[in-house]
Amino acid sequence: MTTTTLAGRNGLPLAADVGGNPDQPAVVLLHGGGQTRHAWSKAFKRLVAEGYRAISYDARGHGGSGWAEDGDYSTDAMVADLKAVIATLRAPPALVGASMGGITSLTAIGESNSPTASALVLVDVAPTIERKGVEAIRRFMTANPGGFANLEEAADAVAAYNPSRPRPKDASGLMKNLRRGDDGRLYWHWDPRIIAVSKEEHVAYLDAYEARMSGAARQVKVPTLLVRGSQSDVVSAQGARRLQELIPQAEIADIAGAGHMVAGDRNDAFNDAVVDFLARHIPR
């Protein structure tokens, strides 16, 4: 694995991990809002071991990537970054996107006039989503604007948000999602402007979300897989069926015992589902 810097829209630096044979099919991993590329660490290693070229990058404003000077963290900006990355590849890659990354991937494919990807994997995101679950994510991301005094406080916040996941004995891995401010406190490793919209603006976004995502989904012709946590509060079983109405070729993999954070909750089962899908549709 090599850590490098890719160029997004207008040259915005995107911190990335790249691994595997460059002559093999590429798989681009796009993390969810508030996460970093490290959320894919085990999936990345598995894909490389299976013979794929894996590319995982921090979205703008997240992790080691640059913050947008104009504060633009819209779906359009995320899509522009993704297309800039895809333009450097030899052929359209498979896209694996969780939550925000899935929205970016679906939009990029469905709203493009040229081939953008060879396959699409949506991780617990669909055109129809449950607002209660989305609001829980927003509450988590907007909490603790003053940061944390230490790592344990940050771990407490994560445990409160996802109480069903066993708390790790060693919380040091959480540091990959944190940055130390000039005041010495720890802050989540994303630009606070990402979630600085008002509640009214957020509701307006959700009101427009389903129509846009549904329109994009209707244009998706590549092999598609939705990996859904069976306990997800964001994508319901009905939401999954609606996706199949929009994308008839879409397959559904329900991961038992997983919530919205599918890859983190049941990583081995998640990786198995993705690798099985790719092996059938994007052979090495």
Side-chain angles (χ1 to χ4, degrees), residues 155-184:
D156 288 342
V158 173
Y161 170 67
N162 195 355
S164 62
R165 183 190 296 181
R167 180 168 176 160
K169 295 180 180 179
D170 181 4
S172 60
L174 190 58
M175 280 302 300
K176 293 179 179 178
N177 293 307
L178 294 162
R179 58 183 172 83
R180 193 169 295 279
D182 294 338
D183 57 2

Side-chain angles (χ1 to χ4, degrees), residues 210-273:
E210 184 167 349
R212 182 175 186 181
M213 294 302 104
S214 295
R218 290 188 181 95
Q219 302 306 314
V220 173
K221 306 304 178 186
V222 298
T224 300
L225 170 69
L226 168 63
V227 184
R228 172 183 170 270
S230 64
Q231 299 175 0
S232 173
D233 60 353
V234 174
V235 179
S236 66
Q238 292 84 354
R241 288 194 291 271
R242 174 59 177 159
L243 176 72
Q244 287 185 307
E245 293 174 1
L246 296 166
I247 309 178
Q249 75 274 19
E251 303 173 27
I252 308 294
D254 274 328
I255 305 300
H260 180 59
M261 313 295 284
V262 186
D265 290 344
R266 294 287 312 284
N267 192 258
D268 289 344
F270 168 80
N271 290 341
D272 287 346

Side-chain angles (χ1 to χ4, degrees), residues 73-144:
Y73 295 106
S74 64
T75 296
D76 290 337
M78 299 285 183
V79 168
D81 290 339
L82 173 59
K83 288 187 174 182
V85 171
I86 291 174
T88 67
L89 304 178
R90 299 181 181 184
L95 302 181
V96 179
S99 200
M100 179 189 76
I103 294 169
T104 301
S105 301
L106 176 59
T107 305
I109 296 174
E111 295 184 355
S112 178
N113 293 321
S114 58
T116 301
S118 57
L120 171 64
V121 178
L122 297 171
V123 185
D124 214 66
V125 69
T128 301
I129 53 178
E130 303 301 310
R131 293 201 179 192
K132 185 176 181 180
V134 174
E135 183 56 32
I137 296 171
R138 177 176 167 78
R139 285 197 304 271
F140 171 73
M141 292 185 68
T142 54
N144 306 109

